[in-house]
Amino acid sequence: MPYAVSGDNVRLYFEEAGSGTPVIFLHEFAADHTNWEPQMRYFARGHRCIAYSARGYTPSDVPASKEVYTYKHFYTDALAVLDHLKIAKAHFVGLSMGAYSSLQIGLNAPERALSLTLAGVGSGSSLENLEAFRSQCQANGEQYETIGSVEVAKATREAPSRIPFLVKDPRGHADFYAALARHDAKGSANTMRSFQGGRPSIYTLTDAIQKVPTLTLIICGDEDDNCVEPSLFLKKHLPAAGLTFFPKSGHVLNLEEPALFNEMVERFIALAEAGRWPARDPRSIG
């Protein structure tokens, strides 16, 4: 199996397809590298595509300590994969947890990003509810260790932002949550406690976000309630960001609406590579 190795010696399993300008895919909490398969097959026709499983997600390593599952570990892991492959810059395409990590690349290593696609980004950012969200993450982590991934998956699949996927594509929804049920409980518990429950709210990063030069596409489902306001916030403050909403859509955008997702990201990457995705013109700001 192909592995990259992180700065703290965690092995990260990855897969590659195609050739051309690199595109790296970063998955959400409930997913792993396999959930990017529709994008790997599509974008590999014209790009070098990389998908990897984050630490805590087999066949990547599952460190025992929750202390090595912070948001800093996750975004630097993405860079470790690129370093292993001797890739200086890539287009970053992230969903949810992966979108947050991609944003951190823009904040901390913009020289490594040709562009950022941030899909389903920003849940848990509300400052008003931040402590309650973090407490819930700790409780969810405890659930994983107490009742296991199979039982947690049964509850997760009924979350409000997941229902649009169920309504549109029951078979795809069932496959997705069957895969979630196979996740390593310890890895999921640690990710929930440290990454999900410990990352800074994007609303506390305004000054830094306003300085990110990277070309960015933000994608949000209009029924993904926890991500609507964060997506609007990022559109307002990221200088070179565009925003699109998918109608009647929830959180799992790349699988819920694969054709639309692929079309929008492909168009964005083409415009970015052609130098036709500028920062917002001040004359357009009312």
Side-chain angles (χ1 to χ4, degrees):
M1 285 186 173
Y3 289 97
V5 180
S6 72
D8 58 342
N9 294 315
V10 174
R11 296 185 310 158
L12 303 164
Y13 174 80
F14 68 90
E15 294 185 358
E16 280 193 276
S19 61
T21 308
V23 181
I24 185 167
F25 296 96
L26 285 69
H27 65 78
E28 66 149 318
F29 174 80
D32 58 27
H33 75 279
T34 63
N35 295 104
W36 289 113
E37 188 63 21
Q39 286 67 50
M40 291 287 282
R41 294 186 180 193
Y42 184 82
F43 285 97
R45 302 168 191 220
H47 293 83
R48 181 183 183 185
C49 296
I50 304 102
Y52 72 98
S53 280
R55 61 177 62 210
Y57 293 78
T58 57
S60 292
D61 286 348
V62 182
S65 171
K66 69 177 183 179
E67 306 304 322
V68 297
Y69 285 79
T70 70
Y71 76 97
K72 293 181 181 179
H73 288 94
F74 275 71
Y75 83 76
T76 55
D77 282 353
L79 297 177
V81 173
L82 294 185
D83 289 343
H84 175 80
L85 295 170
K86 296 180 171 54
I87 295 172
K89 297 182 177 183
H91 296 284
F92 283 76
V93 180
L95 176 67
S96 192
M97 181 175 82
Y100 188 93
S101 293
S102 297
L103 176 62
Q104 289 296 327
I105 296 294
L107 290 167
N108 295 285
E111 71 281 359
R112 304 299 301 272
L114 295 168
S115 73
L116 306 174
T117 296
L118 311 178
V121 65
S123 63
S125 290
S126 168
L127 294 176
E128 182 180 357
N129 300 312
L130 187 58
E131 290 311 311
F133 172 78
R134 289 179 171 171
S135 295
Q136 186 60 54
C137 288
Q138 300 305 314
N140 290 348
E142 185 70 23
Q143 263 196 324
Y144 268 100
E145 292 199 324
T146 302
I147 64 175
S149 297
V150 173
E151 294 303 315
V152 175
K154 291 177 182 177
T156 305
R157 68 189 180 193
E158 303 299 330
S161 65
R162 311 282 174 167
I163 297 303
F165 190 13
L166 171 63
V167 171
K168 291 176 189 175
D169 182 7
R171 287 169 65 90
H173 183 271
D175 286 346
F176 184 89
Y177 288 100
L180 174 59
R182 295 192 292 270
H183 283 187
D184 185 278
K186 185 67 174 179
S188 294
N190 285 338
T191 304
M192 182 59 69
R193 288 170 175 148
S194 294
F195 181 99
Q196 302 285 76
R199 62 188 176 185
S201 164
I202 63 169
Y203 297 130
T204 66
L205 305 173
T206 305
D207 290 345
I209 286 170
Q210 289 174 336
K211 297 173 185 175
V212 172
T214 313
L215 311 184
T216 304
L217 173 64
I218 305 158
I219 308 176
C220 187
D222 66 351
E223 295 181 2
D224 189 2
D225 292 343
N226 292 326
C227 294
V228 171
E229 290 300 327
S231 295
L232 292 168
F233 170 84
L234 288 171
K235 166 56 188 170
K236 180 179 179 180
H237 292 290
L238 281 168
L243 168 64
T244 185
F245 282 97
F246 285 9
K248 305 298 290 181
S249 296
H251 197 60
V252 196
L253 293 168
N254 68 305
L255 298 181
E256 245 185 79
E257 294 288 354
L260 183 58
F261 186 93
N262 292 349
E263 179 184 358
M264 293 301 301
V265 176
E266 181 178 47
R267 178 179 180 274
F268 165 58
I269 288 177
L271 289 170
E273 292 185 350
R276 297 301 303 273
W277 189 274
R280 188 172 182 181
D281 190 312
R283 295 173 298 176
S284 71
I285 301 173

